[in-house]
Amino acid sequence: MSQDVLVIGGGIAGIQASLDLAEMGLKVKMVERLPSIGGVMAQLDKTFPTNDCAI
Amino acid sequence: MEKVEGDAGNFKITVRKKARYVDDSKCTGCGSCAEKCPTSVIDDYNEGLAERKAIYKYFAQGIPSVFTIDAPHCRQLGQGKKCGVCAKVCQAGAVDFEQKDQIIEFEVGAIISAVGYQVFDPSVIPEYGYGKIDNVVTAIEFERLLSASGPTGGHLDRPSDMKTEKEIGELKKQVNKAGKGLQRFEEKFREASAEFHKKVESGAVSPDDEQVEWMTKYAEFAGMESRLHSLEEKAAKFDVATHLAFIQCVGSRDFRFYPFCSGYCCMHSVKEAIIAKEHESRTNSFVFGMDIRAVGKGFEEYKVRGGKESGIQYIRGRVAEITEGPDNNPLVWYEDTRVREVKAKEVDMVILATACSPARGLDKLAGILDIELDEYGFIKTNPINPLDTTRKGVFTCGCAQAPMDIPESVAQASSAAARAAELVIQIEEKQVA
């Protein structure tokens, strides 16, 4: 039995889920197939509707 | 992901940690290796619009801030040639050609699948000309062109123009090389190639075998030089793209491909048009859609503002075909449904708002996780429990579940974390009791 959680995917959803779990005191293992985390969001310039930078 | 065994609260996971061929405990991310690496590779991060080295970082700000060797493209690892330049210049001694993939096993109580999506490939819609007409790009390619960190530093240089610039660069090298090849003749015969050519043409001189060879080489050189001049003249008139056409529902709301709406694409087209206008005040944009969907907090206001302040015209019509006009300008053929007329609009660049497709390899992952997929290939969920997969203890969120934008993905991610926590926290309590 384990309290740890596996998160598959290091994009924005995976990152957010991992952060929330960690804040709760749970240990997270994240698996990401690309050399960095960030996902598609890392490729975007700005996001709508605020035009904030994506990365 | 290699294997998942067990069940909720008690999963045994087997993962393959792929070799970077760089020791991530030593690498400082300085980049000296990439500077000296002799091999260039097409850059996926920049959607094929730029090149990177065989030793690379996916993008500059990437975390972990560690380099990775793309083994199949590496001269040493992938092609059996002698190199190792990166290892020589690395001051941290981080390059390790002997590194192997690692199989790692561990236990977890819950799993969250947040694998995202991939962009629909519009080559399957031949009437839109993607892949044939240079200046028809996908929205994600356009994002890279708009980015200050992208291949054009945020200038909307047209792909056809960039192709010409590249050709000019290569021709210049060839012309230089050919010019050097003429030097030995010019030194031997003590005459400029052009002058001798005039004499031969006028019949004043009868060339011997060696001089014939010289003149043949000169003709090649002159031909290349002339082509170079005409390309350079053409390039001198190049300008950034200022007339943009955004085509909505490429692959979405389409009975041939995906009948669903991908949700975020109307919004990102509006965004891209607004940002393009910020970069270049002469920009005007046309968004072609059946309707422009702006559901979400602040979205409708954003869309209206785009129209009023950023030169966006919303045209109600589904684009039938895109052809190539003069000067590589795409021609967008559509019916303007408000006046019931078929029209053609000439623009500098077309941006296809492509559909949201399930992530590459999701079917294989679903097999490993033993979860079901829906009829489109996204992770199957229940509207009442939209984050639960068909297997207890395995949750999902974001675009792995269905097309959605960033605020929705983030909200779902927090929810999935809560669902997972609900499950694993109970386990500990039971055990203690």
Side-chain angles (χ1 to χ4, degrees):
Chain A
M1 305 300 268
S2 170
Q3 274 203 330
D4 297 354
V5 181
L6 168 66
V7 173
I8 308 173
I12 186 65
I15 292 170
Q16 181 65 47
S18 302
L19 287 172
D20 285 329
L21 289 163
E23 288 289 332
M24 284 187 247
L26 298 170
K27 289 234 172 5
V28 179
K29 290 239 186 339
M30 181 196 273
V31 176
E32 167 53 57
R33 66 176 163 200
L34 290 172
S36 322
I37 59 173
V40 175
M41 230 178 131
Q43 291 176 283
L44 304 180
D45 181 34
K46 304 268 169 37
T47 61
F48 55 80
T50 52
N51 292 348
D52 285 330
C53 289
I55 186 80
Chain B
M1 288 295 298
E2 296 268 312
K3 229 191 316 178
V4 171
E5 293 163 308
D7 45 42
N10 204 358
F11 289 113
K12 179 145 165 271
I13 309 291
T14 309
V15 160
R16 172 184 297 270
K17 185 178 177 187
K18 292 189 279 192
R20 284 185 194 265
Y21 305 100
V22 170
D23 184 340
D24 50 22
S25 67
K26 292 186 182 154
C27 176
T28 62
C30 75
S32 304
C33 51
E35 259 184 66
K36 294 290 182 232
C37 173
T39 310
S40 286
V41 180
I42 302 233
D43 186 359
D44 283 337
Y45 171 76
N46 275 308
E47 296 295 317
L49 297 166
E51 286 183 332
R52 54 151 171 93
K53 296 298 180 68
I55 187 165
Y56 71 113
K57 240 194 196 173
Y58 185 57
F59 63 100
Q61 302 88 348
I63 298 295
S65 185
V66 163
F67 278 70
T68 303
I69 297 183
D70 180 355
H73 290 109
C74 168
R75 286 170 67 93
Q76 181 140 330
L77 287 169
Q79 288 149 26
K81 297 183 195 159
K82 196 171 186 308
C83 186
V85 173
C86 53
K88 284 184 207 122
V89 297
C90 177
Q91 297 198 337
V95 179
D96 176 9
F97 292 110
E98 302 307 309
Q99 199 179 88
K100 301 271 175 281
D101 288 355
Q102 268 181 285
I103 301 293
I104 303 176
E105 288 176 3
F106 53 89
E107 279 175 25
V108 295
I111 301 171
I112 297 177
S113 176
V115 294
Y117 71 103
Q118 71 177 318
V119 168
F120 174 82
D121 178 0
S123 324
V124 297
I125 304 179
E127 61 268 30
Y128 280 176
Y130 178 73
K132 281 178 266 142
I133 302 174
D134 288 330
N135 296 324
V136 172
V137 301
T138 59
I140 191 80
E141 287 166 358
F142 192 71
E143 289 282 338
R144 295 317 305 147
L145 291 172
L146 270 182
S147 290
S149 64
T152 58
H155 298 284
L156 285 178
D157 296 335
R158 308 199 310 156
S160 62
D161 298 351
M162 292 195 279
K163 218 175 173 179
T164 304
E165 298 280 359
K166 199 170 175 198
E167 209 188 329
I168 288 174
E170 275 161 21
L171 249 184
K172 273 197 181 139
K173 281 189 211 153
Q174 285 176 14
V175 163
N176 258 334
K177 195 173 170 197
K180 290 202 174 108
L182 292 174
Q183 272 178 7
R184 68 177 172 93
F185 293 106
E186 290 178 340
E187 274 160 25
K188 179 169 183 185
F189 298 107
R190 307 251 187 91
E191 192 159 14
S193 305
E195 291 304 314
F196 192 76
H197 175 78
K198 278 192 211 136
K199 287 187 184 162
V200 171
E201 288 299 298
S202 70
V205 164
S206 228
D208 63 34
D209 284 347
E210 201 182 353
Q211 288 167 336
V212 165
E213 191 194 340
W214 177 18
M215 284 297 102
T216 312
K217 283 202 183 332
Y218 173 72
E220 278 172 28
F221 165 84
M224 278 195 279
E225 222 191 16
S226 154
R227 174 151 174 73
L228 179 61
H229 278 314
S230 64
L231 282 181
E232 279 175 333
E233 261 179 31
K234 191 178 166 200
K237 295 190 213 124
F238 283 167
D239 191 5
V240 291
T242 52
H243 292 351
L244 309 172
F246 293 86
I247 317 299
Q248 300 312 112
C249 303
V250 177
S252 309
R253 301 177 71 188
D254 190 328
F255 288 122
R256 301 169 297 174
F257 306 107
Y258 294 118
F260 57 74
C261 166
S262 292
Y264 51 63
C265 359
C266 282
M267 287 307 294
H268 74 45
S269 288
V270 172
K271 173 200 68 176
E272 287 169 359
I274 291 176
I275 304 298
K277 179 88 177 178
E278 278 179 14
H279 288 200
E280 172 54 65
S281 56
R282 291 175 294 148
T283 303
N284 53 28
S285 302
F286 306 93
V287 179
F288 295 86
M290 293 186 276
D291 28 58
I292 306 301
R293 295 185 161 179
V295 180
K297 215 166 176 179
F299 291 7
E300 177 68 19
E301 300 92 309
Y302 187 73
K303 177 187 104 187
V304 168
R305 206 178 87 220
K308 289 202 183 133
E309 296 173 18
S310 299
I312 301 176
Q313 238 185 290
Y314 298 106
I315 299 179
R316 185 173 178 274
R318 194 136 189 203
V319 169
E321 191 179 359
I322 301 170
T323 56
E324 197 166 23
D327 293 323
N328 301 112
N329 291 348
L331 272 164
V332 175
W333 296 86
Y334 65 103
E335 183 200 350
D336 184 342
T337 54
R338 275 183 286 239
V339 294
R340 296 189 207 162
E341 274 176 35
V342 173
K343 297 181 183 173
K345 186 164 284 301
E346 185 177 343
V347 291
D348 298 330
M349 209 188 283
V350 169
I351 299 98
L352 303 174
T354 41
C356 175
S357 294
R360 181 173 54 85
L362 182 54
D363 47 354
K364 187 167 172 232
L365 180 65
I368 293 170
L369 292 172
D370 196 16
I371 58 176
E372 284 173 39
L373 299 179
D374 69 16
E375 73 253 60
Y376 308 122
F378 293 97
I379 293 177
K380 189 176 187 180
T381 56
N382 187 320
I384 302 172
N385 296 307
L387 306 171
D388 291 15
T389 67
T390 50
R391 181 176 182 178
K392 183 162 185 260
V394 181
F395 306 98
T396 183
C397 55
C399 288
Q401 194 248 72
M404 64 185 69
D405 60 27
I406 293 165
E408 286 171 357
S409 298
V410 167
Q412 284 218 346
S414 294
S415 302
R419 293 289 292 144
E422 265 177 81
L423 174 64
V424 301
I425 281 170
Q426 279 178 48
I427 292 163
E428 178 79 330
E429 281 179 0
K430 273 187 198 150
Q431 281 199 311
V432 169

